[in-house]
Amino acid sequence: MKTSIERGALLRAVARAQSVVERRNTIPILANVLIEAEGDTVTFRATDLDIEVVDHAPAKVERAGATTVNAVTFHDIVRKLPDGALVNLTDDGASGRLAVEAGRSNFALATLPRQDFPVMATAEYAANFTAPAPVLRRLFDKSKFAISTEETRYYLNGVYMHVADGEGGQVLRCVATDGHRLARVDAPLPEGAETMPGVIVPRKAVGELGKLLTDDDTEISVSVSETKVRFATPEITLTTKVIDGTFPDYTRVIPTQNARKLEVDASDFARAVDRVATVSSERSRAVKMQLEDDRLVLSVNAPDAGNAEEELVVAYSDDRLEIGFNAKYLQEIANQVDRENAVFLFNSAGDPTLMREGDDTSAVYVVMPMRV
């Protein structure tokens, strides 16, 4: 293999590919990135056996071929090369080394045979559709904060993407929950997604997917089967196994009868919660909300550290209410609001609270209260 490629294009491709590589590996080949040069393109492929990323970069290929090198080392070298440098990659196949040359810099990296590199088996996808990057970004960004980190409840360790019945017909819906809070975000159902099976996209794949969705003008091709889901742009393809489990019936925990309504500026609210929570103990981080006649008093009482109180002017005209929440949960939910106002709907101090943006019901959040 012999090819030359511009440093910027090489860095982008290698950075996206190497991010899926696990730092601690018992299988040496999984620490490597597979480099394949053919035609006028170099392809970079990396996997951890659950997620596979394939990235393409334009290049001048003098001799087609393929090899694998340590992904992190290769990325670090490319990152440290000067901007605009032309990088030459040469592998004669016999020496077990990949030569990396740029200007006066020369490196020889140990390689492993490309035959040892595991390639994810192709799947028959039940549904194929396209969706604009901003739509998918909103679905996953607004729901991923609620993903559970408890390994014992593995079926909650991802975002449940499925077709659901919304207020105006079928929608593409993403849901995540950890038992303490829940996020449910809807988008118009793309053409071709009607037959899509519901899948739980793992937490790591959701994080990697964010790197595909940065360009607002990109259309993302999505393919879904019972066991895999694939997201693709013209340059990069991300394929991930889905979590093999049944997502719980989340509709039962979304309250529909909450009548007490609080309307508050979301950013002011999030900042106020952050300020009063400064004195609370890390373990519980409990914040008490007292609501009465267009006033909201946020207070924290931590016997070891002290206490704090802040008052906000809000829109609230229902009965007096005192209710406690985990400060981190309140902040994370408030930070999802793109518009100015967040609307909280309460029932009682012991019941789940619902939050939405103004009158928009396409994104709703549920948070469980706690005793304070």
Side-chain angles (χ1 to χ4, degrees):
M1 180 183 80
K2 188 173 184 183
T3 182
S4 50
I5 181 169
E6 194 270 324
R7 180 254 184 195
L10 179 59
L11 181 61
R12 274 193 302 276
V14 175
R16 289 188 294 215
Q18 67 91 34
S19 62
V20 306
V21 172
E22 290 290 344
R23 292 295 186 269
R24 296 185 195 89
N25 260 314
T26 51
I27 307 171
I29 194 73
L30 293 182
N32 283 17
V33 58
L34 172 62
I35 305 171
E36 299 171 293
E38 193 173 350
D40 56 0
T41 303
V42 176
T43 301
F44 300 88
R45 190 186 298 262
T47 183
D48 65 359
L49 296 181
D50 291 322
I51 303 173
E52 181 185 73
V53 170
V54 182
D55 211 329
H56 306 279
K60 182 183 175 188
V61 178
E62 291 183 38
R63 189 169 66 241
T67 190
T68 79
V69 293
N70 184 280
V72 175
T73 306
F74 187 50
H75 173 252
D76 284 346
I77 287 171
V78 176
R79 183 170 55 83
K80 292 173 182 178
L81 291 174
D83 274 343
L86 187 66
V87 183
N88 295 303
L89 306 176
T90 310
D91 177 48
D92 61 12
S95 62
R97 292 284 185 270
L98 173 72
V100 182
E101 299 169 1
R104 296 184 180 183
S105 303
N106 296 287
F107 304 88
L109 303 180
T111 63
L112 288 172
R114 59 91 43 98
Q115 293 81 2
D116 295 350
F117 194 87
V119 175
M120 195 175 278
T122 54
E124 284 291 318
Y125 292 104
N128 297 279
F129 59 92
T130 60
V135 170
L136 288 177
R137 186 169 65 230
R138 175 179 176 273
L139 282 173
F140 285 97
D141 278 2
K142 284 183 172 295
S143 56
K144 67 183 181 184
F145 75 92
I147 295 174
S148 173
T149 54
E150 262 185 72
E151 298 301 331
T152 50
R153 302 166 80 186
Y154 63 92
Y155 49 85
L156 298 182
N157 293 164
V159 172
Y160 181 42
M161 181 174 73
H162 60 297
V163 178
D165 292 322
E167 290 182 354
Q170 286 195 312
V171 293
L172 181 62
R173 175 173 291 174
C174 281
V175 180
T177 182
D178 63 0
H180 303 291
R181 63 258 169 95
L182 177 144
R184 189 202 77 194
V185 189
D186 293 347
L189 188 68
E191 195 177 328
E194 300 83 6
T195 56
M196 182 185 101
V199 291
I200 306 171
V201 183
R203 186 195 312 113
K204 182 177 176 181
V206 171
E208 292 301 323
L209 177 60
K211 297 166 189 172
L212 270 73
L213 306 177
T214 52
D215 185 355
D216 284 356
D217 299 327
T218 305
E219 285 283 325
I220 309 293
S221 300
V222 185
S223 303
V224 185
S225 75
E226 295 278 0
T227 56
K228 289 193 183 79
V229 58
R230 185 180 71 197
F231 301 91
T233 71
E235 292 90 33
I236 184 167
T237 301
L238 178 127
T239 309
T240 176
K241 293 179 182 174
V242 301
I243 293 175
D244 183 13
T246 304
F247 201 80
D249 180 9
Y250 60 87
T251 56
R252 292 185 300 122
V253 300
I254 299 177
T256 55
Q257 305 299 319
N258 288 12
R260 296 175 174 181
K261 182 179 176 183
L262 159 70
E263 196 161 340
V264 59
D265 182 287
S267 58
D268 287 352
F269 176 76
R271 285 195 291 267
V273 170
D274 188 32
R275 281 191 290 270
V276 297
T278 310
V279 300
S280 74
S281 63
E282 275 300 318
R283 190 174 55 79
S284 63
R285 308 231 346 139
V287 171
K288 182 160 79 172
M289 295 170 64
Q290 295 166 279
L291 285 158
E292 189 175 23
D293 299 333
D294 292 341
R295 284 174 63 240
L296 165 63
V297 178
L298 294 164
S299 61
V300 169
N301 185 16
D304 303 339
N307 56 352
E309 187 174 292
E310 181 159 343
E311 187 174 316
L312 292 173
V313 177
V314 298
Y316 182 80
S317 56
D318 292 296
D319 298 340
R320 174 182 165 81
L321 176 69
E322 286 193 7
I323 188 168
F325 292 103
N326 181 305
K328 177 169 169 268
Y329 297 166
L330 279 184
Q331 283 174 270
E332 287 182 335
I333 282 178
N335 287 337
Q336 304 309 314
V337 179
D338 295 326
R339 307 177 186 187
E340 284 188 10
N341 284 357
V343 172
F344 288 85
L345 295 168
F346 305 95
N347 186 30
S348 73
D351 293 317
T353 294
L354 186 119
M355 195 280 280
R356 64 173 193 248
E357 301 181 43
D359 296 323
D360 182 11
T361 56
S362 70
V364 297
Y365 308 92
V366 179
V367 61
M368 295 297 292
M370 62 189 292
R371 282 203 184 95
V372 286

